[in-house]
Amino acid sequence: MLIRYGELSTKGKNRKQFVTKLAQNVKRAMQDLPEVRIHGERDRMYIILNGADYQLAEERLKPIFGIQSFSPAVRVNLDLEEVKAAALALVQDAHEENGTFKVAARRSHREFPLDSNEINQEIGAHVLQNIEDLTVNVKNPDVKLTIDVRKEGVFLSCRTILGAAGLPVGSSGRAMLMLSGGIDSPVAGYLAQKRGVEIEAVHFHSPPYTSEQAKQKAIDLAAKLAKYSGQVQMHIVPFTEIQEVIKQQIPESVIMTVTRRMMLRITDELRRKRNGLAIVNGESLGQVASQTLESMLAINAVTATPIIRPVVSMDKNEIIQIAQKIDTYNLSVQPFEDCCTIFTPPSPKTKPKLDKIEHYESFTDFDALITKALDNIETISVNIAETEQVKDEFADLF
Ligand code: ATP
Ligand code: MG
């Protein structure tokens, strides 16, 4: 398999780091295929399958960020007869009745006796002679056979599959994703991963007000995101006591704002401990009372850490489309109570004032409560969703 990097190839000096990260991610995605070998080079990566199932390898590569496109390729020796035979076999396999084709050769290894034009002619003629209903179309061929002559061999390929694009997960550093059970935050996490962020999920859980199913739902959502990074660390924060104290101490109209501020403080503390560089959430401007600019200002005031809001300017429908694409939507719409809704009044303030909020908070020792919550966090490693694994096992059988 020949992998093209796309955007990361513009990263100058950092390129090596990006390629290394991508190679690690590819390796992890193929870890149950021990025969596979990976060679990351400056301008492309080769995956030598060594007999591993091609279809399975293709499925594994598709979600990996940092890959612009990839092609299944055949490698033969630097020998014209071998190239001819391989070319014919590939086109025979790929062409459809009365189809058209073209050969696009490139010779970076100058010692090969034919230049790229000569290869095009020689191989084109050989293929045409041997497949009856085939014609040449240089502008818009049905099958484009690329032949890449390199020192290490000749690579032939006639299929290009689009990759997931983006940057390799981990190449932009680590951030904490505030993951609820809703539609927006998993999408936000996915979009951050797409730009190379390694995410750790933080989920606030308030038993007995929120159920075991609500927690499981968040874990299942994290498992969907693990598809893009191999696994996701998930921190489950016990939030009941803080919510109860807020309910007792804070005026009803700003309970939601204070609740959000506490969530953000805890997330930021965790970020610091885990060497994260940012916080990601699923806020979308104007969607609900906590997501007006006034609310964001009052909530955000507890930290100077960058907060990345990948869906901030998207409409709900746009977010839903992505949620469907990444297969989180059906999970997200399951009806389990989220901790944020349990004590919030029917009409929370949409324009909370920061000085008032700080004043209300000042009568309670929230620091101690936050420390206690942090001490009792449950951290788990969430692996790629089980349904995905079952699919892979079936692929093995065939
Ligand atoms: P979502 O669909 O992501 O739940 P939402 O539209 O329901 O978003 P809110 O409930 O206001 O919006 O939450 C805004 C953001 O706050 C969420 O996107 C998420 O990042 C964070 N958040 C909310 N509840 C939790 C929770 N229980 N645990 C962790 N983060 C949460
Ligand atoms: Mg929510």
Side-chain angles (χ1 to χ4, degrees):
M1 304 271 239
L2 188 159
I3 294 182
R4 300 176 196 83
Y5 300 147
E7 194 176 336
L8 78 166
S9 53
T10 62
K11 298 289 175 198
K13 269 197 217 143
N14 294 333
R15 180 197 290 244
K16 198 169 161 204
Q17 210 182 312
F18 280 67
V19 172
T20 307
K21 203 34 137 190
L22 181 60
Q24 281 169 0
N25 295 351
V26 170
K27 201 170 189 167
R28 198 179 38 215
M30 307 262 182
Q31 63 191 356
D32 58 335
L33 308 171
E35 60 274 50
V36 169
R37 293 282 167 276
I38 297 159
H39 298 286
E41 289 175 18
R42 243 189 90 73
D43 55 346
R44 50 182 55 183
M45 187 176 289
Y46 296 104
I47 300 181
I48 316 291
L49 290 180
N50 277 328
D53 183 70
Y54 164 73
Q55 220 63 41
L56 195 56
E58 177 175 330
E59 285 313 309
R60 297 290 171 78
L61 285 180
K62 273 187 188 157
I64 297 181
F65 293 123
I67 297 178
Q68 196 62 35
S69 67
F70 59 96
S71 297
V74 177
R75 182 177 66 177
V76 298
N77 293 320
L78 291 153
D79 173 278
L80 187 61
E81 290 312 310
E82 283 195 31
V83 178
K84 276 184 182 172
L88 183 57
L90 276 178
V91 180
Q92 239 154 7
D93 204 36
H95 98 292
E96 292 184 2
E97 231 173 284
N98 298 316
T100 59
F101 93 117
K102 109 183 224 185
V103 184
R106 209 172 69 167
R107 184 185 65 160
S108 52
H109 180 60
R110 299 277 153 210
E111 278 151 51
F112 194 74
L114 277 62
D115 71 15
S116 52
N117 268 332
E118 289 164 341
I119 299 170
N120 286 344
Q121 281 163 15
E122 191 80 23
I123 301 298
H126 179 69
V127 170
L128 279 177
Q129 273 162 23
N130 287 282
I131 304 178
E132 267 179 12
D133 57 349
L134 193 67
T135 49
V136 173
N137 180 339
V138 199
K139 282 231 171 77
N140 190 18
D142 302 324
V143 176
K144 181 178 165 194
L145 173 68
T146 59
I147 301 180
D148 200 358
V149 180
R150 302 183 146 238
K151 203 168 79 209
E152 58 274 26
V154 182
F155 295 84
L156 300 97
S157 165
C158 55
R159 253 183 87 207
T160 297
I161 300 147
L162 277 187
L167 303 172
V169 171
S171 64
S172 301
R174 175 181 301 157
M176 312 308 282
L177 167 68
M178 299 179 72
L179 182 65
S180 66
I183 296 169
D184 308 326
S185 49
V187 170
Y190 161 81
L191 292 172
Q193 287 176 307
K194 182 166 187 215
R195 295 310 296 171
V197 178
E198 180 201 338
I199 51 160
E200 291 195 6
V202 183
H203 179 69
F204 292 84
H205 178 51
S206 299
Y209 307 106
T210 59
S211 63
E212 224 15 65
Q213 287 120 302
K215 174 176 154 186
Q216 188 56 44
K217 175 179 166 185
I219 296 173
D220 292 344
L221 287 168
K224 293 286 181 188
L225 298 178
K227 185 172 171 190
Y228 305 96
S229 58
Q231 67 169 31
V232 169
Q233 287 296 107
M234 180 154 184
H235 309 278
I236 296 167
V237 185
F239 203 48
T240 313
E241 192 179 359
I242 294 181
Q243 287 205 278
E244 285 172 342
V245 171
I246 293 175
K247 166 91 177 151
Q248 282 159 18
Q249 305 289 336
I250 302 291
E252 198 178 70
S253 66
V254 293
I255 280 183
M256 203 234 351
T257 313
V258 173
T259 306
R260 295 301 161 129
R261 282 163 59 88
M262 297 307 148
M263 285 168 87
L264 191 52
R265 283 176 64 182
I266 291 171
T267 305
D268 200 30
E269 201 43 41
L270 254 175
R271 173 204 64 79
R272 202 183 52 75
K273 287 189 178 164
R274 305 284 308 167
N275 295 319
L277 299 168
I279 293 168
V280 180
N281 71 23
E283 286 174 340
S284 169
L285 189 55
Q287 200 185 80
V288 289
S290 64
Q291 296 171 28
T292 60
L293 284 178
E294 289 86 352
S295 278
M296 282 188 197
L297 192 71
I299 296 165
N300 210 150
V302 299
T303 177
T305 301
I307 300 183
I308 299 175
R309 301 176 172 88
V311 304
V312 75
S313 61
M314 287 188 194
D315 293 347
K316 195 75 188 185
N317 281 336
E318 295 174 277
I319 302 172
I320 287 174
Q321 266 179 20
I322 300 176
Q324 283 166 335
K325 191 179 92 178
I326 63 171
D327 200 26
T328 54
Y329 182 76
N330 289 335
L331 272 173
S332 293
V333 293
Q334 289 175 9
F336 302 118
E337 200 82 61
D338 190 58
C339 71
C340 290
T341 46
I342 53 178
F343 297 138
T344 42
S347 51
K349 259 208 178 1
T350 54
K351 296 184 179 179
K353 294 276 174 295
L354 183 57
D355 49 350
K356 285 213 175 124
I357 301 280
E358 285 173 344
H359 174 72
Y360 296 141
E361 286 178 4
S362 67
F363 302 98
T364 305
D365 186 3
F366 281 112
D367 288 356
L369 290 169
I370 287 176
T371 306
K372 192 170 164 201
L374 283 164
D375 286 343
N376 289 294
I377 280 176
E378 178 194 356
T379 296
I380 54 176
S381 273
V382 182
N383 286 307
I384 189 160
E386 254 166 42
T387 48
E388 241 80 51
Q389 278 170 2
V390 172
K391 240 192 269 164
D392 289 352
E393 274 161 28
F394 276 123
D396 255 354
L397 292 176
F398 296 121

